Amino acid sequence: RGLLADANTQYSHLLHQSRMATSREEASVPTLVLKEGEEAAGASVSDDNHTGNSNNNNSKTTGVTIHLSPQEESLIETLLQAVAYLEQGKIPNFEAQTVEIRIAGGWVRDKVLGIPTHDVDIAVDALSGVEFATIVQSYLTLINPNDKRTKIGVIAANPNQSKHLETATMLVMGLDCDFCNLRAQEIYTQDSRIPVTRFGTPLEDAQRRDFCLNALFFNLTTKKVEDWTQRGLNDLLDQKLLVTPLDAFTTLQDDPLRVLRAIRFAIRLDFQLDGTLREASRSSAIHKALLVKVSRERVGKELEGMLSGKGANPHKALALIGDLALSSCVFSLPSNSNHAGVVPIIEGNLLEQPFAAENVPLAWDLSTSLMPHVATIPASASLQQPHPKVQTTLDPRLFALASYLLPFRKLSYLDRKSKQIPVVDFMMRESIKFKNKDVTGMMTLLSNVDAFVTLLHQDDVSAFSRLEVGLLLRRTKDLWVTCLFLAAAAAAVVTT
C-alpha cells in the first residue's frame, strides 16, 4: 500500500505539472479591480468566514475581486508610466525596450483574501530587479527633479544560503517594494558552485515558488490575476491547502526555510499541509539542509511570525514543529554548532536522567505532546479576569515558548571561556537569534519556575512564607503571572 501511495503521489504531481498554464491567456483569471471600500454592482456579502475575507466572493470559477488602496493605485500608475518612458527611450542609459511587470506572491494572495498587505514584490520579465528599480528611480527624478528621497537598496544573491536572486528594494508611493526578475532553473557547471542564471518565464517563476497559493501574479498591463500553476486559487479559496508547485522534496531542497514558512502559513491562514509536503518536511535530508544552508536569523524570523502578530497561534505552531520532527533543527543544541572545532559537553538532567543525546528526541516528543494541554491553562485560570489591582498579565508568546523548552531547563554547557551557560540560553541567543530581552525573560521564567511549582504543591496556604513569595515576585517582576502559568505546565511535565 505504501508503494502504491508513493506511485499515486508521483503521478499526481506529474499530472498537475502537465496541467499548468502555457500562455498568459490560459493563466489569466477574470479579475475585477476596485478602489478600496468600493463594492461591485450586485455584489453580495460572502458567507466565507475566513479571516479578512468577509467582503468578497472570490473563486476560481467566477473570478476574483481585488481592492486597491490609493497608495497602491499610485504605485501601479507609477510603474506603468516608468515602463512607458522606457519604451519611448526617455530613460537615461537605457535603450528603448518592452517590459512586462507583475506583482507577485504574498501581495496577490492577501488581496484575493481581502487581507491588508503592505509589502509589494515586483517581478520583471526582461530586466534584473536592480535595473528596473533604477528605471523607476530615473522616471521619478525626471517628473520631479527636486525629489531626491527615492533610494535603492540591493540585497545580493547568496545561493549558499538559498538566496538565489539579487533583489532591489525601494520605497515607492509610501510602499516597500522589492524588485527582481522572473526566476528560472539555475544551471551549475561541474567546476563551479555558482549557478548560471537567466531570465525566466512566468511559468518557470511560478514553479520555483514555495507554494501554489504564493505563485499567483497580478499583471499590471492586463489588470488580471494570473494562476500559472492552475491550482493556486483553488488551494487558497476552496481547499485551504498548502501544496508545492513542483515535487515537495525538490521545492524544500531549493530553499529549506520553506518548511518553516509552510508552518507559518498553515498557522496564520488555518490551512493544512498537503500530504506530500508533510512527508517531505519530515525528511532528514531537509532537516540537515535547514541547519547547514539557512542562517539562524532567518529561522528566528520565521519562528517569530508563528508566535506573534495577527493570526498567530504559538502552541499550535510549536506542536506542528514537533510533529514534523523539526525541533532539533529550530532549537539546535550547542553540539550542533561550531565552537572552534570543539564540541561542547552538555551537563545536567534531561527527563530526570543525566543528559544523553539519544534522549533529546524523547524530550521534544514530550514538549510536543504537552502543547494541547498547555494551551488550555490560561483559559482555565482565574487570572484571565484579574483583580483590578493586578496590573501584570500573561505573555502568551513567552509562555508558549518556555513551555516547549521546559524539559531542557536543567541543562548547561561550558562556553569558550569555560563559563557555565544554560542550554536554553544558547537556543534563544544562538539557535533562533532572539533579542536580549527575550533571552533574559526566558531565563527568568525557567530559573524560577520550580520555585513556583513548590508553591503550587503547598496544600496549606498558611504554610506560605510571605518573605519567600515576595522575593520570588521580585525576581520574576512583570513575568510572575507567566511564570505561575508555566509552573502549571511544569507540573504536567513532572506527572507525564
Side-chain angles (χ1 to χ4, degrees), residues 310-321:
K310 188 175 181 180
N313 189 326
H315 297 95
K316 188 176 179 181
L318 291 166
L320 187 50
I321 286 175

Side-chain angles (χ1 to χ4, degrees), residues 242-380:
L242 286 164
V243 183
T244 56
L246 300 178
D247 169 69
F249 184 85
T250 301
T251 298
L252 296 184
Q253 204 170 37
D254 189 39
D255 183 357
L257 187 67
R258 288 170 172 172
V259 70
L260 297 182
R261 286 172 58 83
I263 297 174
R264 177 165 62 87
F265 287 129
I267 296 303
R268 287 189 167 276
L269 298 175
D270 195 21
F271 279 23
Q272 296 297 315
L273 272 62
D274 170 65
T276 58
L277 175 57
R278 183 178 287 271
E279 181 182 353
S281 298
R282 290 195 176 106
S283 164
S284 59
I286 297 301
H287 296 174
K288 181 179 179 180
L290 180 61
L291 280 169
V292 173
K293 295 180 64 176
V294 180
S295 71
R296 304 317 297 180
E297 287 82 2
R298 294 179 73 200
V299 170
K301 184 177 180 180
E302 286 298 326
L303 179 64
E304 185 61 69
M306 307 173 201
L307 300 179
S308 61
K310 188 175 181 180
N313 189 326
H315 297 95
K316 188 176 179 181
L318 291 166
L320 187 50
I321 286 175
D323 183 53
L324 298 177
L326 287 161
S327 303
S328 289
C329 300
V330 176
F331 306 102
S332 59
L333 296 173
S335 57
N336 294 132
S337 304
N338 181 14
H339 282 61
V342 179
V343 177
I345 298 176
I346 297 177
E347 302 173 342
N349 287 342
L350 180 65
L351 303 180
E352 305 303 323
Q353 298 179 13
F355 175 78
E358 57 265 27
N359 287 336
V360 171
L362 297 177
W364 289 127
D365 288 344
L366 174 60
S367 295
T368 302
S369 66
L370 286 171
M371 285 300 100
H373 167 70
V374 169
T376 66
I377 293 176
S380 62

